[in-house]
Amino acid sequence: MAKIAFIVPRIGPNFSGGVWCIFEYARGLEYKGHDVYIVPALPSKEPRWFPYKFRNFISSTRKERFLRLVRSFSIFVLSFFRFLLNRDENKLQNFWTNFLIDFAFFEPVLMSFSFAYSISGKYISRIMPDVDYTIATQFTTARFVYYYGKGKKFYFMQHYEALFKNDFDDSKYVSAESSIGYLLPLTMIANSSWLKKKIQSIYSRKSIYLCNNAIDHDIFYGNAKKRDKKSNKITIISYGGRGVQWKGFIEMAKAMAIARDRLNDYCLRWHVYGTSNLPPDNKITPYEALGFLYPKQLANAYRNSDFLLSASWYESFPLFPIEAMACGIPIITTPFGTEDYAFHGDTAHIVKANDVESIAEGIITLCTNPDYANKLAINGLRKARQFTWKKSINNLESILFSHEDIENYTKAEYHNL
């Protein structure tokens, strides 16, 4: 059995679907007998929200960070007095740097992105385990896997992260660093066909593996929901999108307002889970806030809805549409990143991203054509059941253990850039 390390971003109270999926891969590989390490790029507590305790989660409690800070400060003070005696500037500077790092680690949430990123390399270099395979999972970890990773090195991409530069306090810095990650001589794995084609097109990386994520069918399940043709009460569910603009929540709100205006004979209830960038009583159109939902609660919310509405500008194998499909309800979604499971008129109704009129027409179509909605629910459920964690974990394991035939080609690509 192999030793495998996943290098993940700092784990906080808010988490993305990409991080959840990485944990599912790690759990599955542990079940198969491998020694799996979860290595956060900055000190983190082991997440309470994931229903599994990893054997090798490199965590850091607040008490541990405080004790390290006190120790670091004591060493710096001692070195300062030694400096007064022998003027050893190099040692003083080194101890001062270590103190600043430990001070920042004491409460990393207060750091700016550029500062956090600059010191995370120092932290990872300290704690990197000796393993057979090291896997970067975000652009903030790719460079450090290249520098400090042990054994064979991979980059399991969960999105085209250069698109998210405006979500950070230094967009130009993020844009440059994310691009560097796609150019490093790491074996590349994409979680969606869209992402694979995107990186191949922009960075001329031909040798990229595809490993689709999956969902837990013990939680997200159901029968294809059949709409009552006589009922004019329809419940639509959407993800709030963590308040980021590219999730298209404002476009969804505007489209819902249009649909409500045109469908005077219908009662459209809009349920939204998670946080969004509009309050429930916003001026565009109101919605009912469900708040944060744990997986079982979310599955019930899907099953109690008539269809899901998503309007992201771009995604890379998003979980919420396929979760809804697995719970038996039809979905409206945009095409970018959902192409592995969402096919227009068959398993989903595809609308144009950032196009309010297209989204509104999609809502109206599913509301007024129950036969079409029922067809999408049946086909969507069938398609969603194909994406199991057993299949995805076996796929990743196969990639890790059989990638040698393209490893040299990957390095040749890098040197020819």
Side-chain angles (χ1 to χ4, degrees):
M1 293 291 105
K3 293 182 178 180
I4 303 166
F6 289 92
I7 315 303
V8 298
R10 177 180 179 269
I11 305 300
N14 297 320
F15 58 94
S16 67
V19 173
W20 181 282
C21 288
I22 292 301
F23 282 0
E24 288 285 7
Y25 285 108
R27 171 166 61 175
L29 290 170
E30 272 202 355
Y31 282 160
K32 291 173 74 69
H34 301 292
D35 288 331
V36 180
Y37 294 79
I38 301 292
V39 185
L42 286 171
S44 306
K45 295 180 181 179
E46 189 167 358
R48 297 177 180 177
W49 40 260
F50 190 76
Y52 181 75
K53 187 174 180 63
F54 292 99
R55 295 196 302 265
N56 298 311
F57 188 99
I58 300 181
S59 62
S60 179
T61 65
R62 187 177 177 87
K63 180 179 179 181
E64 290 170 342
R65 297 199 298 275
F66 178 73
L67 293 176
R68 188 177 184 92
L69 176 64
V70 171
R71 178 177 177 273
S72 179
F73 181 72
S74 302
I75 292 174
F76 168 70
V77 170
L78 180 61
S79 67
F80 178 75
F81 285 112
R82 288 179 176 174
F83 166 74
L84 295 177
L85 296 175
N86 57 27
R87 303 286 174 176
D88 190 344
E89 295 185 14
N90 290 332
K91 283 189 176 181
L92 182 65
Q93 180 65 34
N94 184 53
F95 288 130
W96 173 245
T97 300
N98 287 337
F99 169 69
L100 287 178
I101 291 173
D102 288 322
F103 180 77
F105 283 168
F106 178 62
E107 197 57 67
V109 72
L110 300 177
M111 293 185 282
S112 67
F113 169 79
S114 56
F115 184 58
Y117 183 67
S118 64
I119 66 172
S120 60
K122 180 78 172 179
Y123 177 69
I124 290 175
S125 69
R126 292 176 177 175
I127 63 173
M128 182 67 73
D130 188 11
V131 295
D132 304 305
Y133 303 89
T134 309
I135 306 171
T137 60
Q138 193 190 62
F139 80 94
T140 57
T141 65
R143 182 197 288 263
F144 304 126
V145 165
Y146 173 63
Y147 286 149
Y148 309 117
K150 306 296 178 62
K152 296 181 173 67
K153 304 173 185 180
F154 295 79
Y155 184 4
F156 192 178
M157 303 172 290
Q158 297 299 303
H159 214 310
Y160 180 46
E161 293 161 332
L163 293 170
F164 309 143
K165 60 183 180 181
N166 292 327
D167 295 348
F168 297 87
D169 52 42
D170 190 341
S171 60
K172 291 183 179 179
Y173 185 74
V174 171
S175 179
E177 286 301 321
S178 59
S179 295
I180 288 173
Y182 303 126
L183 295 172
L184 294 171
L186 305 172
T187 300
M188 311 290 280
I189 310 171
N191 73 341
S192 73
S193 299
W194 172 84
L195 179 58
K196 177 178 178 178
K197 293 175 182 177
K198 193 81 172 176
I199 302 303
Q200 287 175 329
S201 172
I202 296 175
Y203 299 96
S204 299
R205 297 296 298 265
K206 303 303 181 184
S207 47
I208 299 177
Y209 287 105
L210 175 63
C211 185
N212 289 142
N213 294 335
I215 57 173
D216 188 341
H217 293 277
D218 289 333
I219 295 175
F220 299 102
Y221 62 87
N223 298 317
K225 190 161 189 175
K226 188 174 182 179
R227 273 256 306 280
D228 183 358
K229 295 181 180 181
K230 297 180 180 180
S231 176
N232 64 348
K233 296 181 179 180
I234 297 175
T235 300
I236 303 166
I237 189 169
S238 295
Y239 172 44
R242 306 193 310 275
V244 295
Q245 189 178 20
W246 58 269
K247 287 289 186 179
F249 192 80
I250 291 177
E251 289 82 5
M252 286 194 292
K254 291 179 179 179
M256 279 295 301
I258 293 173
R260 281 171 165 166
D261 183 60
R262 294 180 185 173
L263 298 176
N264 293 322
D265 295 335
Y266 287 80
C267 175
L268 303 186
R269 298 180 64 188
W270 190 22
H271 290 176
V272 177
Y273 69 93
T275 56
S276 72
N277 50 3
L278 288 176
D281 57 349
N282 66 86
K283 295 180 180 180
I284 301 173
T285 195
Y287 64 84
E288 299 175 46
L290 303 180
F292 175 83
L293 298 179
Y294 287 96
K296 289 184 179 180
Q297 296 172 319
L298 180 56
N300 285 330
Y302 289 141
R303 287 188 284 265
N304 290 328
S305 303
D306 290 293
F307 64 88
L308 175 131
L309 171 64
S310 171
S312 299
W313 300 353
Y314 27 70
E315 292 279 3
S316 187
F317 206 93
L319 297 181
F320 53 97
I322 194 171
E323 289 170 348
M325 289 165 58
C327 290
I329 65 173
I331 68 168
I332 297 173
T333 186
T334 48
F336 307 116
T338 63
E339 296 93 338
D340 292 300
Y341 58 75
F343 306 100
H344 182 60
D346 182 20
T347 64
H349 186 84
I350 307 298
V351 295
K352 296 178 181 177
N354 214 356
D355 188 325
V356 172
E357 186 62 32
S358 176
I359 300 166
E361 286 297 328
I363 297 170
I364 293 169
T365 298
L366 260 68
C367 288
T368 59
N369 192 338
D371 289 336
Y372 177 60
N374 294 340
K375 170 190 171 183
L376 297 185
I378 293 169
N379 293 342
L381 176 61
R382 185 182 300 119
K383 187 64 178 179
R385 286 173 174 169
Q386 297 176 11
F387 293 88
T388 67
W389 277 116
K390 180 179 180 180
K391 185 185 297 184
S392 295
I393 290 162
N394 286 341
N395 188 17
L396 180 60
E397 184 183 42
S398 176
I399 291 170
L400 296 181
F401 296 163
S402 63
H403 81 288
E404 288 84 354
D405 56 335
I406 71 160
E407 188 177 47
N408 292 331
Y409 180 49
T410 303
K411 292 179 179 178
E413 286 180 333
Y414 172 72
H415 290 301
N416 288 333
L417 291 174

